[in-house]
Amino acid sequence: MKPLYEIPLKLEKNRVYRPFIGGKLLEEWQEDEKPKDSHYGERWISSLTKALSTNSDDKEGLSKVISENRTLKEIIEEYPARFLGKHFEKYGNNLGVLVKVLDSYSRLLIQVHPDKRLAKKLFDSQFGKTEAWYILDTREVNSEKPYILFGFKKGVTKEVLEEAFYKQDIKAIEGMMHKFYVKPGDVFFIEGGMPHAIGSGCFLVEIQEPTDYTIRVEKMAPDGRKIDDFSCHQGLGFEKMFECFNYKGYTREFIENKWKIQPKVLMETMESKVEMLIGKEQTSLFEMQRVVVKSVLQWDKGDRFAIAIVLKGSGELACKDFKTTLAKADEVFIPYEAKELKWVNYGNEEMELIICFPPYDNEHII
């Protein structure tokens, strides 16, 4: 039997409790028997990151390998250099990236995440929580078109935000932000410090730095549930949490031009297509590609590990003489030492994948 660090590892579906309602589109995509919305609107993919909330247990957020009934974290820790390659020398056992699939019925709480500098200062963490979204599907909720809130308008200051927060004037805070309606295929890059909220009706893939540091400005969720203080300030206290926001105001046009990303075709043949969704032009913190396999793709992932999600279709990932069968909604962790890879499409429908990579070698650690 081949060692685990030489073969792709299929993972269990890893749902995580969150302070919003959603998940129906996620469960329809997974072809669950009775899809519904709940507080488990997120699925964490190939995760070595623990969820950070008062409702979490010791292992919530950690992915499990199907064939082993152990967490991916436990398995990687046995031979980290073989699973992670050169990445291990710089980051240790941390993947440096966290991938999620998320579906929102209710709007997520208005929030911000620290960038690297503030994460080090406030949380003593080498990682912040810069992230990016790829919209997979949408739905109207209560006649509201799917949308996101992104960035402050000009004129918003720390004092203005604090006053609205202590009054819990959420309408005022919403009014401080730009509202963008979204559609499948849209890509957004959200730097640490940028205030934002995923609105209702968004089903998306999120890639981010591997922390759960989320500063929230609402003490009551849109569904009427009370939000505890820790979920707002993450242990910083209400005064310090306002340090995490970028108060520089932007126009809608500037945001769309800078942070709404146009996919870039890297390769296209009769057999396959590869698009860059988020890459070096946006950040050195992570990379996200969209891959379409019509028949076959001989695949070189480079000198790194990878995380893949099957968006639609079915097929296999061949690794030398080892084959991993894959279907829609499957996820797989592909170790550094898994080489000679080939994606093969089984059916008439294209097999579509999202493939995510860790930070580039030149990423600076604070």
Side-chain angles (χ1 to χ4, degrees):
M1 182 176 176
K2 288 183 177 292
L4 296 178
Y5 49 76
E6 289 186 358
I7 60 174
L9 302 176
K10 283 177 71 172
L11 298 146
E12 294 181 8
K13 297 177 177 66
N14 179 29
R15 300 289 288 277
V16 178
Y17 181 94
R18 299 279 86 180
F20 68 91
I21 293 175
K24 185 177 180 182
L25 291 185
L26 192 161
E27 293 187 357
E28 288 178 357
W29 170 66
Q30 293 179 168
E31 299 183 347
D32 291 355
E33 198 168 300
K34 295 180 179 179
K36 64 183 185 302
D37 290 307
S38 70
H39 281 295
Y40 287 84
E42 289 187 3
R43 176 175 154 187
W44 290 17
I45 309 294
S46 296
S47 169
L48 271 60
T49 303
K50 291 182 181 180
L52 188 60
S53 80
T54 54
N55 295 287
S56 302
D57 62 33
D58 286 343
K59 290 191 175 182
E60 185 169 13
L62 300 179
S63 295
K64 280 187 176 181
V65 177
I66 290 175
S67 62
E68 297 295 307
N69 195 31
R70 289 187 289 161
T71 66
L72 181 62
K73 185 176 188 294
E74 290 168 336
I75 289 170
I76 287 176
E77 285 174 350
E78 292 179 346
Y79 301 100
R82 291 181 174 272
F83 279 102
L84 307 181
K86 293 179 181 178
H87 176 93
F88 170 68
E89 297 172 10
K90 191 168 186 178
Y91 296 95
N93 296 338
N94 197 312
L95 296 186
V97 68
L98 174 60
V99 182
K100 302 175 181 177
V101 178
L102 182 159
D103 173 47
S104 60
Y105 173 81
S106 64
R107 172 179 61 72
L108 273 66
L109 299 170
I110 296 170
Q111 59 192 252
V112 75
H113 312 298
D115 59 18
K116 269 186 172 300
R117 181 184 62 83
L118 278 173
K120 183 64 177 177
K121 176 185 174 183
L122 299 175
F123 296 100
D124 194 27
S125 170
Q126 66 174 310
F127 298 106
K129 195 173 181 287
T130 288
E131 60 190 46
W133 306 329
Y134 174 59
I135 308 293
L136 299 177
D137 200 0
T138 58
R139 53 174 162 162
E140 287 194 10
V141 176
N142 298 325
S143 300
E144 173 81 86
K145 292 180 180 179
Y147 69 94
I148 63 170
L149 300 176
F150 192 125
F152 283 143
K153 299 173 182 175
K154 290 184 178 294
V156 177
T157 64
K158 180 171 177 284
E159 292 72 28
V160 167
L161 180 62
E162 283 182 316
E163 181 180 359
F165 169 75
Y166 286 115
K167 289 180 178 177
Q168 279 298 284
D169 188 347
I170 304 307
K171 288 295 181 186
I173 298 175
E174 286 181 313
M176 297 174 192
M177 303 176 72
H178 294 286
K179 186 175 187 177
F180 296 91
Y181 293 107
V182 299
K183 65 184 185 306
D186 284 349
V187 182
F188 292 90
F189 176 57
I190 304 92
E191 293 180 288
M194 184 65 69
H196 62 273
I198 296 169
S200 58
C202 298
F203 178 42
L204 55 86
V205 175
E206 177 178 288
I207 184 171
Q208 60 164 85
E209 291 180 87
T211 75
D212 200 20
Y213 301 132
T214 302
I215 305 301
R216 303 175 175 95
V217 298
E218 296 177 74
K219 295 187 178 183
M220 187 77 71
D223 66 346
R225 195 171 50 84
K226 185 177 180 181
I227 304 300
D228 63 273
D229 290 353
F230 180 85
S231 294
C232 288
H233 57 60
Q234 300 289 290
L236 295 178
F238 289 123
E239 290 184 7
K240 269 194 174 181
M241 78 180 205
F242 291 100
E243 294 181 28
C244 293
F245 290 83
N246 175 356
Y247 294 98
K248 186 175 181 181
Y250 300 98
T251 64
R252 290 179 59 86
E253 293 74 22
F254 186 90
I255 289 173
E256 284 193 290
N257 290 333
K258 184 173 177 62
W259 291 297
K260 186 177 180 183
I261 310 303
Q262 300 304 314
K264 183 178 180 180
V265 176
L266 300 179
M267 182 277 291
E268 186 169 14
T269 68
M270 295 291 290
E271 298 177 326
S272 58
K273 179 180 180 179
V274 180
E275 287 182 327
M276 182 70 77
L277 302 181
I278 296 290
K280 288 182 179 178
E281 292 182 17
Q282 289 75 45
T283 182
S284 59
L285 295 171
F286 42 69
E287 181 181 313
M288 178 163 59
Q289 298 180 5
R290 174 178 171 265
V291 173
V292 177
V293 183
K294 300 173 185 177
S295 55
V296 64
L297 171 63
Q298 297 283 351
W299 186 57
D300 180 6
K301 64 177 172 50
D303 193 23
R304 52 190 177 171
F305 62 87
I307 295 163
I309 314 164
V310 183
L311 298 184
K312 66 178 183 180
S314 61
E316 70 180 32
L317 176 57
C319 178
K320 296 183 181 178
D321 56 348
F322 185 90
K323 296 179 180 179
T324 304
T325 59
L326 296 167
K328 184 172 74 170
D330 280 350
E331 62 179 276
V332 59
F333 178 81
I334 307 161
Y336 159 78
E337 288 203 9
K339 307 287 186 180
E340 298 178 30
L341 299 158
K342 179 171 68 174
W343 298 99
V344 181
N345 181 9
Y346 279 171
N348 296 323
E349 181 184 29
E350 294 176 343
M351 183 167 67
E352 183 179 349
L353 307 143
I354 290 292
I355 302 180
C356 299
F357 298 97
Y360 295 103
D361 287 343
N362 63 353
E363 168 55 25
H364 174 62
I365 292 182
I366 294 177

Short mmCIF file of all heavy atoms in Angstrom, two decimals, residues 9-46:
data_model
loop_
_atom_site.label_atom_id
_atom_site.label_comp_id
_atom_site.label_asym_id
_atom_site.label_seq_id
_atom_site.Cartn_x
_atom_site.Cartn_y
_atom_site.Cartn_z
N LEU A 9 -6.00 12.45 -1.10
CA LEU A 9 -6.79 12.01 0.04
C LEU A 9 -8.19 12.61 -0.03
O LEU A 9 -8.36 13.84 0.06
CB LEU A 9 -6.12 12.43 1.35
CG LEU A 9 -4.69 11.92 1.58
CD1 LEU A 9 -4.13 12.50 2.88
CD2 LEU A 9 -4.65 10.39 1.61
N LYS A 10 -9.21 11.77 -0.18
CA LYS A 10 -10.59 12.25 -0.18
C LYS A 10 -11.02 12.53 1.27
O LYS A 10 -10.65 11.81 2.19
CB LYS A 10 -11.53 11.23 -0.81
CG LYS A 10 -11.46 11.22 -2.33
CD LYS A 10 -12.34 10.14 -2.93
CE LYS A 10 -13.81 10.43 -2.80
NZ LYS A 10 -14.64 9.47 -3.58
N LEU A 11 -11.83 13.56 1.43
CA LEU A 11 -12.19 14.03 2.77
C LEU A 11 -13.69 14.02 3.00
O LEU A 11 -14.49 14.14 2.06
CB LEU A 11 -11.63 15.44 2.98
CG LEU A 11 -10.11 15.48 2.90
CD1 LEU A 11 -9.63 16.78 2.30
CD2 LEU A 11 -9.50 15.28 4.26
N GLU A 12 -14.06 13.87 4.27
CA GLU A 12 -15.47 13.90 4.64
C GLU A 12 -16.03 15.32 4.51
O GLU A 12 -15.29 16.30 4.59
CB GLU A 12 -15.65 13.43 6.09
CG GLU A 12 -15.29 11.97 6.32
CD GLU A 12 -15.49 11.55 7.76
OE1 GLU A 12 -16.07 12.36 8.54
OE2 GLU A 12 -15.08 10.43 8.11
N LYS A 13 -17.34 15.41 4.35
CA LYS A 13 -18.01 16.70 4.34
C LYS A 13 -17.93 17.30 5.75
O LYS A 13 -18.33 16.67 6.72
CB LYS A 13 -19.46 16.55 3.90
CG LYS A 13 -19.61 16.04 2.46
CD LYS A 13 -21.08 15.85 2.11
CE LYS A 13 -21.24 15.41 0.65
NZ LYS A 13 -20.68 14.08 0.39
N ASN A 14 -17.42 18.51 5.84
CA ASN A 14 -17.04 19.09 7.13
C ASN A 14 -17.84 20.37 7.36
O ASN A 14 -17.41 21.47 7.04
CB ASN A 14 -15.53 19.38 7.08
CG ASN A 14 -15.01 20.03 8.34
OD1 ASN A 14 -15.54 19.83 9.43
ND2 ASN A 14 -13.95 20.82 8.20
N ARG A 15 -19.04 20.23 7.96
CA ARG A 15 -19.92 21.37 8.18
C ARG A 15 -19.59 22.04 9.51
O ARG A 15 -19.26 21.37 10.51
CB ARG A 15 -21.38 20.92 8.16
CG ARG A 15 -21.81 20.29 6.86
CD ARG A 15 -21.92 21.27 5.72
NE ARG A 15 -23.06 22.14 5.88
CZ ARG A 15 -24.31 21.81 5.52
NH1 ARG A 15 -24.57 20.61 4.99
NH2 ARG A 15 -25.31 22.67 5.68
N VAL A 16 -19.70 23.37 9.53
CA VAL A 16 -19.28 24.16 10.69
C VAL A 16 -20.39 25.12 11.08
O VAL A 16 -20.99 25.79 10.23
CB VAL A 16 -17.99 24.94 10.37
CG1 VAL A 16 -17.57 25.79 11.56
CG2 VAL A 16 -16.86 23.97 10.01
N TYR A 17 -20.65 25.21 12.38
CA TYR A 17 -21.65 26.13 12.92
C TYR A 17 -21.19 27.57 12.73
O TYR A 17 -20.05 27.91 13.01
CB TYR A 17 -21.86 25.87 14.42
CG TYR A 17 -22.92 26.76 15.05
CD1 TYR A 17 -24.22 26.32 15.17
CD2 TYR A 17 -22.59 28.03 15.53
CE1 TYR A 17 -25.19 27.14 15.75
CE2 TYR A 17 -23.54 28.85 16.10
CZ TYR A 17 -24.84 28.40 16.21
OH TYR A 17 -25.79 29.21 16.77
N ARG A 18 -22.11 28.42 12.25
CA ARG A 18 -21.83 29.83 12.03
C ARG A 18 -23.03 30.68 12.47
O ARG A 18 -24.17 30.19 12.47
CB ARG A 18 -21.56 30.12 10.55
CG ARG A 18 -20.37 29.39 9.94
CD ARG A 18 -19.05 30.08 10.26
NE ARG A 18 -18.46 29.67 11.52
CZ ARG A 18 -17.33 30.13 12.00
NH1 ARG A 18 -16.64 31.02 11.33
NH2 ARG A 18 -16.88 29.71 13.15
N PRO A 19 -22.81 31.95 12.81
CA PRO A 19 -23.91 32.81 13.28
C PRO A 19 -24.72 33.43 12.15
O PRO A 19 -24.99 34.62 12.14
CB PRO A 19 -23.16 33.88 14.09
CG PRO A 19 -21.84 33.99 13.44
CD PRO A 19 -21.50 32.60 12.98
N PHE A 20 -25.06 32.62 11.15
CA PHE A 20 -26.01 33.05 10.12
C PHE A 20 -26.77 31.82 9.65
O PHE A 20 -26.42 30.69 10.00
CB PHE A 20 -25.28 33.74 8.94
CG PHE A 20 -24.42 32.81 8.11
CD1 PHE A 20 -24.93 32.15 7.00
CD2 PHE A 20 -23.09 32.59 8.45
CE1 PHE A 20 -24.14 31.30 6.23
CE2 PHE A 20 -22.29 31.73 7.70
CZ PHE A 20 -22.82 31.09 6.59
N ILE A 21 -27.82 32.03 8.87
CA ILE A 21 -28.63 30.91 8.38
C ILE A 21 -28.36 30.72 6.89
O ILE A 21 -28.31 31.68 6.12
CB ILE A 21 -30.13 31.17 8.64
CG1 ILE A 21 -30.41 31.15 10.14
CG2 ILE A 21 -30.99 30.12 7.93
CD1 ILE A 21 -31.83 31.52 10.50
N GLY A 22 -28.19 29.49 6.49
CA GLY A 22 -27.95 29.18 5.08
C GLY A 22 -27.67 27.70 4.91
O GLY A 22 -27.85 26.89 5.83
N GLY A 23 -27.23 27.33 3.72
CA GLY A 23 -26.83 25.94 3.48
C GLY A 23 -27.71 25.17 2.52
O GLY A 23 -27.33 24.09 2.08
N LYS A 24 -28.88 25.69 2.16
CA LYS A 24 -29.77 24.91 1.29
C LYS A 24 -29.15 24.67 -0.08
O LYS A 24 -29.18 23.54 -0.59
CB LYS A 24 -31.12 25.61 1.14
CG LYS A 24 -32.13 24.78 0.35
CD LYS A 24 -33.49 25.47 0.26
CE LYS A 24 -34.46 24.60 -0.53
NZ LYS A 24 -35.78 25.26 -0.68
N LEU A 25 -28.59 25.70 -0.70
CA LEU A 25 -27.95 25.51 -2.00
C LEU A 25 -26.74 24.60 -1.88
O LEU A 25 -26.44 23.81 -2.79
CB LEU A 25 -27.54 26.85 -2.60
CG LEU A 25 -28.66 27.79 -3.05
CD1 LEU A 25 -28.08 29.02 -3.74
CD2 LEU A 25 -29.65 27.09 -3.97
N LEU A 26 -26.02 24.69 -0.78
CA LEU A 26 -24.87 23.82 -0.52
C LEU A 26 -25.35 22.36 -0.48
O LEU A 26 -24.73 21.48 -1.09
CB LEU A 26 -24.20 24.22 0.79
CG LEU A 26 -22.84 23.65 1.15
CD1 LEU A 26 -22.18 24.52 2.22
CD2 LEU A 26 -22.91 22.22 1.65
N GLU A 27 -26.45 22.11 0.23
CA GLU A 27 -26.95 20.74 0.35
C GLU A 27 -27.56 20.24 -0.96
O GLU A 27 -27.47 19.04 -1.27
CB GLU A 27 -27.96 20.66 1.50
CG GLU A 27 -27.30 20.91 2.86
CD GLU A 27 -28.23 20.68 4.05
OE1 GLU A 27 -29.43 20.39 3.83
OE2 GLU A 27 -27.75 20.79 5.19
N GLU A 28 -28.16 21.12 -1.74
CA GLU A 28 -28.64 20.72 -3.07
C GLU A 28 -27.46 20.32 -3.95
O GLU A 28 -27.52 19.33 -4.68
CB GLU A 28 -29.41 21.87 -3.71
CG GLU A 28 -30.78 22.12 -3.08
CD GLU A 28 -31.51 23.30 -3.70
OE1 GLU A 28 -30.92 23.98 -4.58
OE2 GLU A 28 -32.66 23.57 -3.31
N TRP A 29 -26.38 21.09 -3.88
CA TRP A 29 -25.17 20.77 -4.63
C TRP A 29 -24.59 19.43 -4.20
O TRP A 29 -24.13 18.63 -5.03
CB TRP A 29 -24.16 21.90 -4.42
CG TRP A 29 -22.78 21.67 -4.90
CD1 TRP A 29 -22.37 21.52 -6.20
CD2 TRP A 29 -21.59 21.59 -4.10
NE1 TRP A 29 -21.00 21.36 -6.25
CE2 TRP A 29 -20.50 21.40 -4.98
CE3 TRP A 29 -21.34 21.68 -2.74
CZ2 TRP A 29 -19.18 21.29 -4.53
CZ3 TRP A 29 -20.04 21.58 -2.29
CH2 TRP A 29 -18.98 21.37 -3.17
N GLN A 30 -24.64 19.15 -2.89
CA GLN A 30 -24.16 17.86 -2.37
C GLN A 30 -25.14 16.73 -2.66
O GLN A 30 -24.83 15.57 -2.36
CB GLN A 30 -23.95 17.96 -0.85
CG GLN A 30 -22.84 18.86 -0.42
CD GLN A 30 -22.68 18.94 1.09
OE1 GLN A 30 -21.69 19.47 1.57
NE2 GLN A 30 -23.65 18.44 1.87
N GLU A 31 -26.33 17.08 -3.19
CA GLU A 31 -27.40 16.12 -3.47
C GLU A 31 -27.85 15.42 -2.19
O GLU A 31 -28.13 14.21 -2.18
CB GLU A 31 -26.98 15.13 -4.55
CG GLU A 31 -26.68 15.82 -5.88
CD GLU A 31 -26.33 14.87 -7.01
OE1 GLU A 31 -26.07 13.67 -6.73
OE2 GLU A 31 -26.31 15.33 -8.16
N ASP A 32 -27.95 16.19 -1.11
CA ASP A 32 -28.51 15.67 0.13
C ASP A 32 -30.00 15.41 -0.05
O ASP A 32 -30.66 16.05 -0.88
CB ASP A 32 -28.29 16.67 1.28
CG ASP A 32 -26.82 16.78 1.67
OD1 ASP A 32 -26.00 16.03 1.12
OD2 ASP A 32 -26.50 17.63 2.51
N GLU A 33 -30.52 14.49 0.75
CA GLU A 33 -31.90 14.04 0.55
C GLU A 33 -32.93 15.14 0.80
O GLU A 33 -33.87 15.32 0.02
CB GLU A 33 -32.19 12.85 1.48
CG GLU A 33 -33.39 12.04 1.05
CD GLU A 33 -33.48 10.72 1.80
OE1 GLU A 33 -32.53 9.92 1.69
OE2 GLU A 33 -34.49 10.53 2.48
N LYS A 34 -32.77 15.91 1.88
CA LYS A 34 -33.72 16.96 2.21
C LYS A 34 -32.97 18.27 2.50
O LYS A 34 -32.75 18.65 3.64
CB LYS A 34 -34.56 16.56 3.43
CG LYS A 34 -35.46 15.35 3.18
CD LYS A 34 -36.27 15.01 4.43
CE LYS A 34 -37.18 13.81 4.16
NZ LYS A 34 -37.97 13.44 5.38
N PRO A 35 -32.56 18.96 1.44
CA PRO A 35 -31.78 20.19 1.64
C PRO A 35 -32.56 21.25 2.40
O PRO A 35 -33.76 21.45 2.16
CB PRO A 35 -31.46 20.64 0.22
CG PRO A 35 -32.48 19.98 -0.65
CD PRO A 35 -32.80 18.68 0.03
N LYS A 36 -31.86 21.92 3.32
CA LYS A 36 -32.53 22.93 4.15
C LYS A 36 -31.51 23.97 4.61
O LYS A 36 -30.31 23.73 4.59
CB LYS A 36 -33.21 22.29 5.36
CG LYS A 36 -32.24 21.64 6.34
CD LYS A 36 -32.96 20.95 7.48
CE LYS A 36 -32.01 20.40 8.54
NZ LYS A 36 -31.05 19.45 7.98
N ASP A 37 -32.03 25.09 5.05
CA ASP A 37 -31.19 26.12 5.66
C ASP A 37 -31.10 25.88 7.16
O ASP A 37 -32.05 25.42 7.79
CB ASP A 37 -31.78 27.51 5.39
CG ASP A 37 -31.66 27.92 3.94
OD1 ASP A 37 -30.54 27.86 3.41
OD2 ASP A 37 -32.70 28.28 3.34
N SER A 38 -29.93 26.21 7.72
CA SER A 38 -29.70 26.03 9.16
C SER A 38 -28.53 26.93 9.54
O SER A 38 -28.07 27.75 8.75
CB SER A 38 -29.38 24.57 9.48
OG SER A 38 -28.10 24.22 8.98
N HIS A 39 -28.01 26.74 10.76
CA HIS A 39 -26.81 27.47 11.18
C HIS A 39 -25.52 26.77 10.73
O HIS A 39 -24.44 27.15 11.15
CB HIS A 39 -26.80 27.66 12.69
CG HIS A 39 -27.69 28.78 13.14
ND1 HIS A 39 -27.45 30.10 12.82
CD2 HIS A 39 -28.84 28.78 13.87
CE1 HIS A 39 -28.40 30.86 13.35
NE2 HIS A 39 -29.25 30.09 13.98
N TYR A 40 -25.66 25.77 9.85
CA TYR A 40 -24.48 25.08 9.31
C TYR A 40 -24.37 25.39 7.82
O TYR A 40 -24.34 24.49 6.98
CB TYR A 40 -24.57 23.58 9.58
CG TYR A 40 -24.32 23.25 11.03
CD1 TYR A 40 -25.36 23.33 11.97
CD2 TYR A 40 -23.05 22.91 11.48
CE1 TYR A 40 -25.13 23.07 13.31
CE2 TYR A 40 -22.82 22.64 12.83
CZ TYR A 40 -23.86 22.72 13.73
OH TYR A 40 -23.62 22.47 15.06
N GLY A 41 -24.26 26.67 7.51
CA GLY A 41 -24.22 27.12 6.13
C GLY A 41 -22.83 27.12 5.51
O GLY A 41 -22.67 27.54 4.37
N GLU A 42 -21.83 26.65 6.25
CA GLU A 42 -20.46 26.57 5.72
C GLU A 42 -19.94 25.15 5.75
O GLU A 42 -20.24 24.38 6.68
CB GLU A 42 -19.50 27.46 6.54
CG GLU A 42 -19.70 28.93 6.34
CD GLU A 42 -18.63 29.78 7.02
OE1 GLU A 42 -17.69 29.22 7.62
OE2 GLU A 42 -18.75 31.01 6.94
N ARG A 43 -19.15 24.81 4.78
CA ARG A 43 -18.39 23.56 4.75
C ARG A 43 -16.93 23.94 4.56
O ARG A 43 -16.58 24.66 3.62
CB ARG A 43 -18.88 22.68 3.59
CG ARG A 43 -18.10 21.39 3.41
CD ARG A 43 -18.74 20.53 2.33
NE ARG A 43 -17.79 19.65 1.70
CZ ARG A 43 -18.04 18.89 0.64
NH1 ARG A 43 -19.23 18.93 0.08
NH2 ARG A 43 -17.10 18.12 0.14
N TRP A 44 -16.08 23.51 5.50
CA TRP A 44 -14.65 23.83 5.44
C TRP A 44 -13.92 22.70 4.73
O TRP A 44 -14.10 21.52 5.06
CB TRP A 44 -14.10 24.05 6.84
CG TRP A 44 -14.62 25.32 7.49
CD1 TRP A 44 -15.71 26.06 7.11
CD2 TRP A 44 -14.06 25.99 8.62
NE1 TRP A 44 -15.87 27.15 7.93
CE2 TRP A 44 -14.87 27.13 8.86
CE3 TRP A 44 -12.97 25.75 9.45
CZ2 TRP A 44 -14.61 28.02 9.90
CZ3 TRP A 44 -12.72 26.62 10.48
CH2 TRP A 44 -13.52 27.76 10.70
N ILE A 45 -13.09 23.07 3.77
CA ILE A 45 -12.48 22.13 2.83
C ILE A 45 -11.00 21.92 3.18
O ILE A 45 -10.24 22.88 3.30
CB ILE A 45 -12.58 22.67 1.39
CG1 ILE A 45 -14.03 23.09 1.05
CG2 ILE A 45 -12.04 21.67 0.40
CD1 ILE A 45 -15.03 21.98 0.99
N SER A 46 -10.61 20.65 3.36
CA SER A 46 -9.21 20.32 3.66
C SER A 46 -8.67 21.21 4.78
O SER A 46 -7.57 21.76 4.69
CB SER A 46 -8.33 20.46 2.41
OG SER A 46 -8.71 19.54 1.43
#
